[in-house]
Each structure stands twice: as structure tokens, then as C-alpha cells.
Amino acid sequence: MNELPIPREIPLPQPAPEPVLVGVLIVFFLMHIVFVNLMVGGALLTLWYQLRGLKEKRYDDLAYAIASTITVNKSIAVVLGVGPLLAINTLYTVYFYSANALTGIFWISVIPLVTLAFLLTYLHKYLWRQMEPFKELHIGIAVVVCILFLFIPLIFLTNINLMLFPEHWDRVKGFFSALALPNVLPRYAHFILACPAMTGLLMVWLFRRKERRNSTVAGFKRDDLVRMGYRWAFWPTSVQFLVGPVVLMTLPRTQEVSHAAMAVFGIATVVALAMAHLMFTEIRRAGEAIGRSFGAICMMMLTVVALMGTGRHLYREAAVAPHRELVRAKTEQYMQAVDEARQQSARDQQSGGEAK
Amino acid sequence: MDFPLFHLDLLGNRWLIAIIAITHVLINHGLAVGMMPLIAAMEWYGHRSQDARWDRLAYRILFVCFLITTTIGALTGVGIWFSVSLVNPYSIASLIRVFFWAWFAEWLVFITEVCLILAYTLTWKNWSTRGGKWKVRHIRLGFALALFSWITMAIIVAILGFMMDPGNWLTDHSFWIGVMNPLYLPQLAFRTPLAAAMAGIIAMFLVLFYTQRGDAFRYDALRAVSLWTLAFAPLVIIAGWWYYTSVPGAMKENLGVSLGTLEFADWQERFLQIAAATVITILLVVQFAIFRPKLLPRIALVIPFLSILWMTGHFERVREFIRKPYIIGRYMYANGIRVDDYALLQRDGVLKYATYSNPLSEAELAGIPDGLSEPERSAHLRAIQQGKDVFMITCSRCHSGHGSNSISGHLQRMFGDQPWTPDLTASYIENMHYAQPYMPPFPGSKAELRLLGRYLEHLQNNKAPIPGAQSVGVVVNRNLSTRTATHDH
């Protein structure tokens, strides 16, 4: 076993120069993933505050304020995912489709699972007041939404990971065996931790402005809300400094180490450290002053995310490059054989016709 | 098809796509493309006549559309991609290579559409209370949303039209040639009034739901929506006629077999009947709603709605049907094999160029004849394994083993309980594209025809469902691959 498959490519040219497609993939994928983070993190924080709201009513109101953001974030998350899907379809055709087929049932179940999660999210939000008397049921819905939102990214991660390793394809028998490949779970942890962190920043953004009184939640002071947001951003981000290296170490070796990728990850880590430091400073700021560095923190977060995305792309390229060469050669060989066979059959037909 | 083969033996691969696609079309046409202009018109009318009841009704209808289109609607849209790329990766990958920019533009329009529907729904209450200029602005937002919904559909129709008839694209592989194919305008002209009429019927249903019996407004609203529906119904017929008179030209090139024309005549007659019946029921119900609104029961609206569904379904079928046996007209067959590849594959066999083999599950091994010696048994197994691979590569995109459109069902009907020997089946398969113009010619070699026959014979004695790569994985064909030390770890 463990035979390396070398399939043929689609014999049609790429629709655009590769850098353009790569640009589409990286830029829009990052936008997509930020909104996915906000959606998943929003669901988790909603549940958390709703549970606290059982004892203290004001937390229930806070939960509602966060739940209200999911409606928009989830729609944008989905719609922004389509462009990167197009780009990955063309850039990694052989890899992406093969991974999809090998985990097919789970892959296609993304559709009903996301639909269900969205419908339940609406139910949870729009019947908030009506379900006041049935609190357990209402929280039960939030629990189901969280489970769905936690599981769906795992399907995507498994696929995106599987596609990089054609040498494992003949050992994979369905989703769970693909899940067991190294690196899936650390990457998953890395992703999940980013969700409350991003949502924490969203909280800061929501409650930061002083002038708009209606932008706070009854029973909370503005700076309390902002500080809570920063805590959500800071603590998971700190844990990333442990999880991140594990992700890097469990990445399978590429044939040639991509120094560029490593350098990019290194710079990203340094920026992230500075960002975490600034978050911590903000948490300790008092009253009016808190929130002053929000703009800087957001810029740093965007930089980190962009660098991580770039590093990941460089690694991915390094991982598939040698195999891609083999595929290219194989396709060329095949197309030559096709041409040759067509000429032969045309000749045969001609001579057959003459014989008659 | 040089991918691991995803396969659903009970449901059938095509049903997976069909269920998702039809749901999407219904929601897209009925609740977005047709409904958004109607809602915006209602809001506009309410504003002009300063009657808040129209506004309330329009908002309620919009809210229903919002809930459904941003969940089931959006996800089935993505689902079409997911399912087609599972079942037929070669075709969708080829289409994306050609239509990347069309899809990209369509995506930008789609982003706009989603932002607009979010804005339109979520600002309704706020902007309405601000009144005056803001309300006018909100109404404009509604019409912009309607326009973008329609543009989304217009782009998609171009791609669908291309799949049926690539026109001159085959000689000149360019994007615009693909878009401007001969079925484009008639198809778009048909779908537009169809969507509007569908939305009208659904809106009438919702009016009954959201207003009280005896309320005078209920009857005003019913009448207004009826007039909307009435305006579009004749256009459905006219554009339908245009569409179907354009089809034969496109189809002739694909089939050119008298049987196909016969089937088409059948479809055509059916289409006419259904379309006439639909429009008549719409007209009847609408007359009722206009002149006797008090007597209109909810159940009466179900009838035109169902007949529209039926017509849409029948209409969508033609797409499948015209392009058979191709998945991309005259470029690629529905088995995922390019027309140009045939000369090579029929000479050397499909197995020679197949990267993957589809392992037999335990259950699939049952039914092997008893009393074979060990070498005989392993030779037999090898033949069945190869036959299965031939089946998976050449038939499984359209047929299941024992589920929907199953090969065993067809053979049972044709040959009954007599043994399905390779002699019996191979000669049919060799000519199957003449017998059934839906099917592409057999792409493999003569020897593979026999192997396929051996496998079909096995299927007579083994009723286990055929598993796909998603459950049993793949085996990499050894003769094709090169083992590289660097990739073993």
C-alpha cells in the first residue's frame, strides 16, 4: 500500500495568470475566514452569556446583543466563501476534488448541516422573547447551533489537509480516517481559538463608541463591556502561542523546506506578540481610556491573519510542487497519446473508406 | 474521469444533484427573482397611497423570503457546486476553466445581492419611521435588489445554456462565444415571467396567511397580486414557445438519431400540455381572486402552484435531456470522458489509463460460483475487479448497481432470469448508444466489453450496493504510478 497516485489534469488552460488566481484565493479566503470566525465565535459567546444570564438577567441581554450580529456575519461568511472555492477549484483541481470524493458523505453533508445551523440561529434569535418561558429549550437550541458550528469547520479542515498528501489517498477510507492524519487536530484547535478572539474584538467594536448610548447593554458600563471583549481576544490569543508551534511542528515535511514560509510565520508571530501585549495594556486601562488602541490592534490582527494566510499558501505550494510536476508530465504524455490515436483512427477510416 | 469515484448506489448520483438543484431553482425563481420586484412594488404603492397596511404586508412577505433565501436558498446554490463536483468533477472543472470570469462576475453580483437583501430587510423598520426621503431611498434599495437578483439569474442561464449547446465554442475556446449561445435569450425570456408568475402565486398564498377573513384589505391585496400574476402568465406561454422552437436546432447536432427526435416530440407535446394547463389554472384562480375574492379558499392556490412546479420540473428536465449523451455538448460525454479521448481509449482500453481502481467490498464478493480451484477463483476475482472498474468508469455516473436507474433493473427487464452472460450483454452494450440515445458510446476496448459483461453477470447473483470511494477508498493502480522514496514516510 501507500502507492503515490499520479492522476491527469484537466487539459484546458487556466482561466487567468496564476498570480491573479492566487491573489483571489488568499485575499478572499482571509475575508471569508474572518467572518466565519465571527460567526462561530458569536455562537459560542452567545451560549456562554446566555448560561450566565440564567443567574443575572443583564448577561441574557448581552447574549442577545451578540446573537444579533450573527445574522449578518453568517450570510457574509457564506457568500465570501464562494470566490475562494472557485479559485481553489482551478488552482488545485486534482487535489481538491480527490479529497472531496474520498470524504464525500461528510463533504456533501456540509450543505444540510450549515442550512440547519442557520435556520436554528434564526429561530434562536427571532423567538428570543417568545421563548423566555422555555429557557431550557431556548438554550438547547443554542447548544445545537454551537455543536454544528464546531463540527463543520472540522470537515473543511480535514479536506484541505487531505488534499495536500496524495501519498495518503490510498489509505483513506472515509472522513474519519482522513481526520486521523497528522496535523488536522492541531490546526483545528488553532482555528477554534481564533473564533472567540475575533468575536472579542467585535465586542470591543460594538461597545467602544461613547456617543451612542444605545450601543451599550443595560446593566453594564461601557468600559466593562470593552474589557470583556478584550479578555476574549487576549486569552485565546495567548494560548495560540502554544498551539501555533504544535501546528508548525506537526506539518508534514515537504521535500524542500520552504524557508519563505517559515520566515513569514516567524514575522507573523512577532507581530502577534506585539498585538497581545497591546491587548493586555488595554485590559488594564481604566474608564475612559480603554479602547484607545483598538484601531492599532485591529491593524495588527489583520496583518497577522494576512501573514498566516500567506505562509500557509507558501507551505501548500512547497508541499504539492513536486507532485504537480509529475501530474503535468503525465498529462502531457496522455495528450500526446490521444493525438496519436486520433490520427491513427483517421488514417484507418480513410483507408477503410478507400478499400470499399 | 481520473478521480476517486464518489458513488451513491441507492439514491443514484444524479438524484443527489437533482434534489439540490431543483430546490435551488424553485427558491431562486419564486422567492428571489420574481418576488423582490413584487415586494418593492408593494412598498412603493403603500408609500404612494400612504396606506401602512401595504407596507406591513410587504415586510412580512419579505421576511419569509429573507429567512428562506439566506438559508436554504444560499446553501443549495453552493450545494449545486458541491454535488456536481463530487459526481462529475471532470465536467465542473472544465466548465470552471472556461467560465471562471463569468462565475466570478456572478459571484460579485451575488455578494451585492446578499448585502442588498440584508440591508433591505434589516433597515426596513428604521428607515420607514424616519419617513420621507429615507422611505424613498428604501424603496429604491428594493428595486436595486430586484435588479441584482435578476442579473444573477441571467448569468447562470448563460452557463446552463452553454452546457446544452456550446455553439462555436468548440472551435474557438473563448468565453464570450460560450455565453452567446443560441439558447440563451429564449431561456432567459422564459424564466423571467415564470419567476414572476410563481412569485405571484406564492404571494397570494401569503396574503391569505397574513390577513384576516372579512378584512377589506385582504381582497384589495389579493386583487393586486392577481393582476401582477395575470400580467406575466401570457408571457410564460409566448417565451415558452420561443424557447422550444429554438431547441430542435440545438439538439439535432447532439443526437441526430431518429429516436431522439421522437423522444423530443414526446417532451414537446407534454410541455405544451403542461404549460397550457398551468396557464389555464392560473387564469382561473386569478379570475376568482379578482372577481370573487371572498370565496377563494387557500387550497385553491395550491393547484396553480403545483402546476407551476410541475412545469418548471418538466422544463428543467429538457436540459438534461437535450444535452444527453453529453455533459458539455459535443466536448465531453456524461461519463466524464472527452469526445477526443475516445479513439485512444477504445484502442487501448480505459483501464490502461485509469489511475485508480475501486476495491470490492466483502459484501460484493458474495455469489462467486462454488467449486472453483484456487487459481480459477483468483482469476475470476480479478476479472470481476476489472469489470467493476470498467463499470465505474464508463457507466456509474448515470447508473447505479441496484438503486435508482440501476443497471441490474434494466438487465432484469431486458433479459429476465436467464443468465446475463457476457455474450448476451456485451453485444447490447457495444451498440447501446444506438438503442438509447441518452447513452454515450462505450468508451473502452473489446476486451473490456467482455470484462464488463463478466461483472454484470456477477451483479445478477450479488445484490450488495456498490460502495464509492467515500467509504471504501481507492487502490492506486501500480503499473501507472511511480514510487518515489521521498514521498514515503
Side-chain angles (χ1 to χ4, degrees):
Chain A
M1 294 285 261
N2 226 15
E3 196 86 20
L4 179 70
I6 303 167
R8 300 189 296 275
E9 248 288 15
I10 306 291
L12 286 171
Q14 288 286 0
E18 194 171 311
V20 176
L21 297 174
V22 171
V24 168
L25 179 60
I26 295 186
V27 172
F28 288 107
F29 180 75
L30 289 179
M31 289 166 66
H32 165 69
I33 211 70
V34 166
F35 280 94
V36 171
N37 280 328
L38 291 175
M39 169 182 93
V40 177
L44 295 174
L45 263 60
T46 300
L47 175 61
W48 171 256
Y49 284 124
Q50 221 190 345
L51 287 171
R52 291 194 68 177
L54 289 174
K55 292 224 181 69
E56 267 184 87
K57 173 77 175 69
R58 59 181 186 148
Y59 281 107
D60 195 70
D61 294 337
L62 177 57
Y64 183 73
I66 296 173
S68 302
T69 64
I70 305 176
T71 313
V72 172
N73 290 339
K74 65 128 191 44
S75 284
I76 296 184
V78 165
V79 72
L80 285 180
V82 174
L85 190 66
L86 263 175
I88 206 166
N89 271 325
T90 56
L91 284 170
Y92 298 98
T93 314
V94 167
Y95 305 94
F96 191 60
Y97 289 146
S98 302
N100 293 351
L102 288 170
T103 58
I105 294 295
F106 280 81
W107 180 244
I108 193 68
S109 64
V110 162
I111 301 300
L113 290 179
V114 176
T115 308
L116 179 65
F118 283 8
L119 287 170
L120 290 177
T121 308
Y122 280 149
L123 191 72
H124 187 249
K125 173 183 158 186
Y126 286 111
L127 294 184
W128 196 289
R129 303 286 167 235
Q130 286 88 330
M131 289 190 80
E132 218 53 83
F134 317 101
K135 212 62 195 174
E136 291 83 9
L137 182 61
H138 195 219
I139 290 178
I141 294 174
V143 171
V144 176
V145 169
C146 285
I147 292 173
L148 288 170
F149 277 156
L150 286 175
F151 182 62
I152 294 159
L154 193 55
I155 302 179
F156 278 97
L157 264 175
T158 303
N159 256 295
I160 287 297
N161 186 60
L162 177 61
M163 94 177 193
L164 294 184
F165 307 112
E167 65 269 30
H168 290 306
W169 289 350
D170 69 346
R171 278 191 307 191
V172 168
K173 299 195 176 8
F175 172 73
F176 289 105
S177 60
L179 186 62
L181 290 180
N183 198 239
V184 176
L185 293 177
R187 271 173 83 170
Y188 178 69
H190 203 43
F191 166 82
I192 291 298
L193 281 170
C195 294
M198 283 290 179
T199 314
L201 289 184
L202 179 73
M203 272 178 79
V204 176
W205 183 73
L206 279 178
F207 302 123
R208 181 179 49 104
R209 279 160 299 183
K210 299 162 200 152
E211 62 279 14
R212 281 182 52 189
R213 281 285 141 236
N214 60 355
S215 73
T216 68
V217 176
F220 288 101
K221 292 215 297 284
R222 170 192 163 272
D223 58 310
D224 286 343
L225 289 170
V226 172
R227 195 165 295 114
M228 277 154 83
Y230 273 133
R231 288 216 177 94
W232 280 117
F234 176 73
W235 291 107
T237 303
S238 316
V239 181
Q240 298 286 40
F241 291 105
L242 300 177
V243 174
V246 176
V247 175
L248 199 61
M249 256 133 40
T250 51
L251 275 179
R253 290 263 145 68
T254 51
Q255 272 185 33
E256 278 169 47
V257 184
S258 171
H259 296 290
M262 295 308 138
V264 171
F265 285 132
I267 299 170
T269 312
V270 174
V271 180
L273 274 169
M275 177 182 74
H277 175 74
L278 200 52
M279 283 175 180
F280 192 67
T281 315
E282 280 272 75
I283 291 176
R284 294 176 44 167
R285 279 192 181 132
E288 292 297 295
I290 193 168
R292 221 196 290 156
S293 308
F294 181 65
I297 289 177
C298 285
M299 289 315 294
M300 288 160 116
M301 182 60 108
L302 274 184
T303 313
V304 172
V305 172
L307 288 173
M308 290 287 174
T310 310
R312 160 195 147 111
H313 180 77
L314 292 172
Y315 171 79
R316 180 150 69 198
E317 281 297 308
V320 301
H323 185 262
R324 233 188 210 155
E325 264 325 301
L326 299 176
V327 169
R328 197 164 291 155
K330 171 86 168 279
T331 311
E332 222 162 79
Q333 226 176 8
Y334 176 79
M335 291 307 280
Q336 268 169 12
V338 165
D339 274 347
E340 183 256 314
R342 287 182 60 203
Q343 281 160 13
Q344 188 195 348
S345 113
R347 273 197 308 273
D348 289 353
Q349 262 169 16
Q350 222 169 27
S351 56
E354 278 161 18
K356 274 181 206 165
Chain B
M1 286 282 294
D2 204 17
F3 286 103
L5 291 172
F6 173 86
H7 183 73
L8 294 175
D9 207 58
L10 287 180
L11 183 64
N13 297 319
R14 295 180 316 155
W15 273 105
L16 177 72
I17 300 176
I19 292 169
I20 296 176
I22 288 179
T23 313
H24 183 73
V25 167
L26 292 179
I27 291 175
N28 171 273
H29 286 16
L31 296 181
V33 177
M35 194 67 100
M36 291 305 143
L38 177 57
I39 291 171
M42 264 190 201
E43 190 191 9
W44 168 81
Y45 185 73
H47 181 65
R48 207 192 65 160
S49 59
Q50 287 301 310
D51 186 341
R53 292 175 303 178
W54 285 103
D55 202 85
R56 236 181 351 256
L57 178 65
Y59 179 72
R60 284 179 161 164
I61 295 178
L62 173 64
F63 191 66
V64 172
C65 295
F66 171 78
L67 292 185
I68 296 178
T69 54
T70 57
T71 54
I72 308 176
L75 268 303
T76 45
V78 182
I80 295 179
W81 285 53
F82 272 51
S83 57
V84 177
S85 65
L86 277 178
V87 172
N88 236 316
Y90 250 70
S91 80
I92 193 81
S94 306
L95 284 171
I96 291 177
R97 295 274 165 111
V98 179
F99 280 115
F100 183 84
W101 293 110
W103 258 314
F104 195 80
E106 135 86 15
W107 177 53
L108 297 181
V109 175
F110 179 48
I111 295 180
T112 316
E113 189 190 338
V114 169
C115 291
L116 283 172
I117 194 171
L118 285 169
Y120 189 53
T121 313
L122 300 176
T123 61
W124 190 301
K125 296 214 161 134
N126 192 332
W127 290 15
S128 297
T129 46
R130 287 203 221 171
K133 247 194 357 236
W134 284 93
K135 189 64 185 168
V136 174
R137 210 169 279 175
H138 190 259
I139 293 170
R140 287 207 190 117
L141 196 60
F143 283 110
L145 169 59
L147 178 66
F148 275 92
S149 306
W150 185 82
I151 296 177
T152 314
M153 180 179 81
I155 299 178
I156 285 291
V157 167
I159 298 173
L160 291 181
F162 167 78
M163 288 172 75
M164 288 196 275
D165 180 62
N168 294 321
W169 177 79
L170 285 175
T171 41
D172 175 4
H173 285 214
S174 90
F175 163 73
W176 284 109
I177 298 247
V179 171
M180 281 303 139
N181 75 77
L183 287 180
Y184 179 61
L185 286 178
Q187 212 193 133
L188 189 60
F190 176 73
R191 284 180 193 269
T192 306
L194 179 72
M198 232 159 117
I201 299 289
I202 297 172
M204 285 164 83
F205 191 80
L206 290 174
V207 167
L208 290 183
F209 198 77
Y210 283 131
T211 56
Q212 304 303 317
R213 181 173 285 277
D215 180 355
F217 175 65
R218 171 184 247 190
Y219 307 120
D220 288 346
L222 265 185
R223 217 168 269 142
V225 179
S226 300
L227 285 174
W228 165 278
T229 315
L230 195 59
F232 287 103
L235 298 179
V236 173
I237 285 283
I238 296 170
W241 181 268
W242 182 21
Y243 178 73
Y244 101 173
T245 48
S246 324
V247 168
M251 196 186 60
K252 242 179 252 142
E253 315 237 4
N254 280 3
L255 294 174
V257 183
S258 56
L259 238 172
T261 330
L262 238 152
E263 296 233 15
F264 176 69
D266 213 38
W267 177 87
Q268 201 173 25
E269 198 178 321
R270 259 305 199 46
F271 181 74
L272 261 197
Q273 286 165 356
I274 298 175
T278 306
V279 172
I280 288 169
T281 45
I282 292 178
L283 291 181
L284 276 178
V285 169
V286 163
Q287 296 301 324
F288 223 87
I290 293 175
F291 295 108
R292 289 273 179 281
K294 292 198 174 94
L295 297 178
L296 185 71
R298 255 175 234 187
I299 189 81
L301 286 171
V302 174
I303 298 165
F305 183 67
L306 288 182
S307 66
I308 285 189
L309 290 194
W310 188 25
M311 182 168 75
T312 317
H314 193 76
F315 173 75
E316 299 296 340
R317 232 177 71 88
V318 75
R319 211 172 60 233
E320 286 279 290
F321 158 87
I322 300 175
R323 68 159 193 250
K324 288 273 157 54
Y326 299 100
I327 198 154
I328 303 175
R330 281 167 289 149
Y331 174 73
M332 184 181 284
Y333 286 115
N335 50 22
I337 297 174
R338 295 183 322 142
V339 177
D340 282 354
D341 291 346
Y342 261 64
L344 177 70
L345 299 178
Q346 287 182 329
R347 188 190 72 190
D348 299 349
V350 292
L351 295 182
K352 181 168 177 202
Y353 299 98
T355 303
Y356 304 101
S357 164
N358 310 270
L360 292 157
S361 68
E362 276 304 314
E364 284 178 282
L365 295 180
I368 289 182
D370 296 329
L372 296 178
S373 71
E374 200 42 47
E376 279 169 350
R377 191 181 146 83
S378 61
H380 188 85
L381 273 181
R382 203 162 47 244
I384 290 179
Q385 173 66 65
Q386 290 182 324
K388 177 181 176 180
D389 286 337
V390 173
F391 175 80
M392 292 302 283
I393 294 168
T394 63
C395 319
S396 74
R397 298 305 88 196
C398 305
H399 289 289
S400 68
H402 304 291
S404 97
N405 196 18
S406 70
I407 197 76
S408 57
H410 284 304
L411 294 178
Q412 186 68 36
R413 184 168 44 73
M414 292 163 66
F415 304 122
D417 287 334
Q418 62 172 306
W420 306 342
T421 57
D423 290 333
L424 193 62
T425 51
S427 59
Y428 172 82
I429 295 167
E430 195 169 13
N431 295 306
M432 66 181 189
H433 53 296
Y434 298 119
Q436 270 285 0
Y438 283 115
M439 283 192 275
F442 179 69
S445 66
K446 291 264 192 266
E448 287 174 341
L449 212 50
R450 303 275 317 169
L451 288 169
L452 177 58
R454 296 279 297 270
Y455 178 65
L456 295 178
E457 190 176 23
H458 176 66
L459 285 185
Q460 191 172 28
N461 306 316
N462 180 303
K463 299 291 170 212
I466 302 174
Q470 75 273 19
S471 50
V472 289
V474 288
V475 171
V476 175
N477 283 333
R478 197 168 278 258
N479 58 333
L480 289 166
S481 63
T482 35
R483 201 186 254 275
T484 45
T486 37
H487 271 83
D488 279 346
H489 43 239

